Amino acid sequence: MGPEDLGEILSQLKQSPHESQILGFNTGDDASVNLLRQDLALVQSLDFFMPIVDDPFRFGQIAAANSLSDIYAMGADPISALAILGFPKSKLPLTVAQSIMAGGASICQKAGVSIAGGHSIDDAEPKFGLSVSGLVHPDHLWKNSTGQRGDLLVLTKPLGVGAMGQGIKKGVLTEDGYASFIRNTTTLNDRPMLAARRIGVNAATDITGFGLLGHVLEMADGAGLCAEISFDAIPVLDSALPLLSEGIKPGATARNLAYVKNRTQFDGELTDVAKWILTDPQTSGGLLFAVSPHNAADLIDALVEEQALCAAVIGRLVAGTGMQVYSERQLL
């Protein structure tokens, strides 16, 4: 079950949102938003998953960074986190749970928040994540649906962690590849958020389980526009393409590709491997910004200054619907 399944279920419920709610599940944004007062809004999100690495401390770090990402994608500052922990206490020692929580707490500390509480259950297998709350001025709130015609699309992390996660499971990812995987998945999106806040962007989201194209399509549909993507401009982690070339990829990759295929026109030169990297499900992926062409160069400079893992112009929003993916395309 994914976010789209939960959204379908929620859409069938008869609910009356609180009068303070200004964003809910029906907008497809990364978090819910409630207006506390005219100059302050509360942003809330929740995410958790099963281990994607064997090291419990690293697992906790990755899950925490992933959970915090939705808050940054809304342009908000996190203020508090609650833990969700499922743990098979009859199968694993409690020291493993302690390591998971310690990893999560270490990332929360970097974000300037603490794990203030939460809930745990005895479960068949480990699961961990956070419910995170953040604050933002309503005028500075980012949505994924407010991109403008002509906006350039800027990505702040390279792709490929889905394939690399499969490489870890199969025991074929190199030591250098593993280090790159950990760096990518445990790096917070706070610095790119600060860069974009300083320059100004029209829309934002983070790249997670639907892969790059799934989230780009969501942004384009929300704006009532078409997205043009240039494959040669997309940064990819070094270990990802060789793994995909060997057919090592998550099951979600095929589902993601099937989801966008009928709405996407692919350049005839694009290989299956290229399409797989474009739909590779990301865990704790980067932010994607829609920015005015007049501000794009300043945003790139600010992202470099804030030490974002990458600062790549990968596409643009144009008139039309759906997506067009080119092997290469002049964007600037």
Side-chain angles (χ1 to χ4, degrees):
M1 179 177 289
E4 74 280 15
D5 301 305
L6 179 61
E8 177 64 24
I9 293 170
L10 288 173
S11 68
Q12 298 177 20
L13 300 179
K14 294 181 179 180
Q15 299 188 95
S16 299
H18 190 273
E19 61 183 12
S20 68
Q21 183 176 299
I22 56 177
L23 279 181
F25 74 90
N26 55 319
T27 65
D29 276 290
D30 294 298
S32 68
V33 183
N34 285 71
L35 191 66
L36 300 180
R37 56 178 194 246
Q38 291 305 307
D39 64 344
L40 192 65
L42 176 68
V43 180
Q44 294 177 295
S45 184
L46 182 154
D47 208 338
F48 66 97
F49 48 77
M50 294 179 290
I52 58 174
V53 292
D54 291 333
D55 185 324
F57 184 84
R58 291 299 195 188
F59 167 50
Q61 287 188 311
I62 294 166
N66 182 74
S67 298
L68 285 157
S69 183
D70 285 338
I71 302 301
Y72 296 129
M74 305 297 289
D77 295 303
I79 59 167
S80 181
L82 299 174
I84 303 100
L85 177 66
F87 191 75
K89 61 181 183 180
S90 63
K91 300 177 182 177
L92 296 172
L94 284 179
T95 52
V96 174
Q98 291 169 345
S99 292
I100 293 171
M101 292 291 291
S106 72
I107 292 295
C108 286
Q109 184 175 11
K110 290 182 179 180
V113 300
S114 64
I115 298 178
H119 187 69
S120 63
I121 61 170
D122 188 6
D123 205 350
E125 51 192 326
K127 300 176 182 69
F128 178 66
L130 301 174
S131 171
V132 187
S133 297
L135 296 175
V136 66
H137 191 293
D139 292 344
H140 301 151
L141 175 69
W142 294 334
K143 301 177 184 179
N144 67 358
S145 59
T146 48
Q148 304 295 307
R149 181 177 175 179
D151 278 356
L152 295 176
L153 302 177
V154 178
L155 182 65
T156 68
K157 281 187 182 181
L159 304 181
V161 297
M164 293 166 73
Q166 284 298 108
I168 293 171
K169 289 180 180 179
K170 293 181 178 296
V172 296
L173 188 65
T174 65
E175 186 175 330
D176 287 344
Y178 182 78
S180 177
F181 175 89
I182 294 298
R183 180 174 182 241
N184 214 72
T185 54
T186 61
T187 296
L188 288 170
N189 282 324
D190 55 344
R191 304 295 290 272
M193 183 269 288
L194 292 174
R197 182 189 284 175
R198 188 163 72 246
I199 302 304
V201 297
N202 292 328
T205 191
D206 62 341
I207 307 302
T208 52
F210 294 131
L212 176 68
L213 292 191
H215 292 283
V216 167
L217 181 60
E218 196 172 50
M219 182 179 279
D221 282 348
L225 296 167
C226 172
E228 292 184 344
I229 300 296
S230 179
F231 180 77
D232 74 322
I234 294 171
V236 179
L237 293 164
D238 289 343
S239 299
L241 290 178
L243 290 169
L244 288 171
S245 297
E246 296 175 14
I248 297 174
K249 60 185 186 298
T253 302
R255 294 192 295 272
N256 288 343
L257 182 56
Y259 177 75
V260 302
K261 196 170 184 180
N262 291 337
R263 302 284 314 284
T264 306
Q265 183 177 342
F266 289 101
D267 188 320
E269 297 182 16
L270 288 170
T271 64
D272 286 342
V273 169
K275 294 174 184 178
W276 291 339
I277 195 65
L278 291 168
T279 51
D280 187 56
Q282 303 301 285
T283 299
S284 187
L287 297 181
L288 180 71
F289 298 117
V291 59
S292 164
H294 302 294
N295 293 332
D298 288 339
L299 177 60
I300 296 299
D301 289 343
L303 288 169
V304 171
E305 182 181 337
E306 292 289 351
Q307 299 181 322
L309 294 186
C310 71
V313 178
I314 64 163
R316 63 160 63 93
L317 297 176
V318 299
T321 59
M323 287 185 296
Q324 295 184 345
V325 183
Y326 301 92
S327 57
E328 56 182 314
R329 186 79 164 177
Q330 184 66 38
L331 296 171
L332 290 175

